[in-house]
Amino acid sequence: MNILLWHVHGSWTTAFVQGPHTYLVPVLPGWGPDGRGRAQTFSWPDTVREVTPEQLGDEPVDVVLLQRPEEFALAERWLGGRRPGRDVPVVYLEHNAPDGNVPDTRHPCADRDGLTLVHVTHFNRLFWDSGRARTEVIEHGIVDPGHLYTGRLPRAAVVVNEPVRRARYTGTDLLPALSDAAPLDVFGMRTEGLAAHLGVPEERCRARDLPQRDLHAAMAERRLYLHPVRWTSLGLSLLEAMHLGMPVVALATTEAVEAVPAGAGTLSTRPEVLAAAARRYLEEPDAAAEDGARARQAALERYGLKRFLDDWERVLTEVRS
């Protein structure tokens, strides 16, 4: 199939484009949010083709995969008037947990016919009001980075983008106390100056932004993965850490309680419990490695790439038929 999708979520798209299709990704001068083109920091196969809006008008498109409400109008305009859901089959992918008026948040597709609404977690489908839209859940899949864990550095890895702006959503306010339990290495976009913002010494909360090819190796050197996020769909970095063989210390919120099984780390809604777990892993590296191995096995079984691609193949075939 020829599948049109926008480059919205680099990590998720990296898994999706491993399938057997041709993936048409819009590109614009300046690479703005409506035309980012191919990823620069992720490895995508040659089956991902950049297309301009002018080229899309003549492109055969079998399925449109939308991820933002504004893409309905973009797709119709750039496809030369072909309307998603009427002239071209459409799937709407919802990456995010609902925001505002929870649990009564109405999804933008709730009143739309002619599409399939795909949630990436069962938590999302439960909390969004999807109305009469046909819904599916296709859980995440991960391109396995391998069992890279060494845990040689007695520090905790945290991966979060824009921790200052996102604040309580990402649990940024919890980091000062957690950094007393384990020194933190925070990886992600717009993390510069995080230690100063939190009022903690730089050594207790170092911040860096790395491309994915370097990030996995850096994460795997840290003793544990810390996930203090209050409200999110399900961070792919959490699943990547588990694939790497890292033990997990995470807030027991949203889908994390389903993703991290017993024996793979510690889940709690009490930050002091997370702090105690982090200290234990620093003091007991063998226990950290054992829990990390169990985390990897659980992630491979539930979030493996083959299952993910098989699930998507089923849905894409259904909507195209």
Side-chain angles (χ1 to χ4, degrees), residues 25-199:
V25 179
V27 63
L28 290 170
W31 303 287
D34 294 336
R36 288 196 176 114
R38 288 176 57 92
Q40 302 301 308
T41 59
F42 296 89
S43 179
W44 288 1
D46 293 340
T47 50
V48 181
R49 288 177 43 213
E50 290 186 339
V51 288
T52 65
E54 294 76 19
Q55 291 171 327
L56 267 176
D58 298 321
E59 285 283 350
V61 174
D62 296 298
V63 178
V64 179
L65 177 67
L66 304 177
Q67 301 167 79
R68 300 170 298 161
E70 59 266 32
E71 291 174 3
F72 283 99
L74 282 175
E76 184 171 354
R77 188 164 71 248
W78 292 358
L79 288 172
R82 285 173 286 173
R83 184 178 176 183
R86 184 188 64 189
D87 306 310
V88 186
V90 61
V91 174
Y92 190 100
L93 174 64
E94 181 52 69
H95 291 283
N96 300 316
D99 187 11
N101 199 34
V102 176
D104 296 321
T105 319
R106 191 80 166 164
H107 195 274
C109 293
D111 297 319
R112 286 185 177 266
D113 296 315
L115 59 74
T116 297
L117 172 58
V118 176
H119 294 285
V120 296
T121 70
H122 292 276
F123 179 91
N124 283 8
R125 180 161 71 172
L126 178 67
F127 271 74
W128 275 109
D129 177 1
S130 300
R132 66 172 184 265
R134 178 191 177 221
T135 62
E136 293 268 359
V137 176
I138 299 182
E139 295 189 303
H140 290 299
I142 301 294
V143 178
D144 183 15
H147 194 165
L148 305 182
Y149 180 73
T150 66
R152 68 178 187 86
L153 298 177
R155 303 180 66 88
V158 182
V159 179
V160 60
N161 291 325
E162 302 186 75
V164 174
R165 180 184 67 82
R166 297 169 69 194
R168 287 180 57 83
Y169 279 79
T170 55
T172 305
D173 58 301
L174 305 178
L175 294 181
L178 291 169
S179 72
D180 286 339
L184 310 177
D185 286 314
V186 182
F187 302 99
M189 296 185 295
R190 298 182 181 89
T191 55
E192 304 85 356
L194 180 59
H197 172 78
L198 297 174

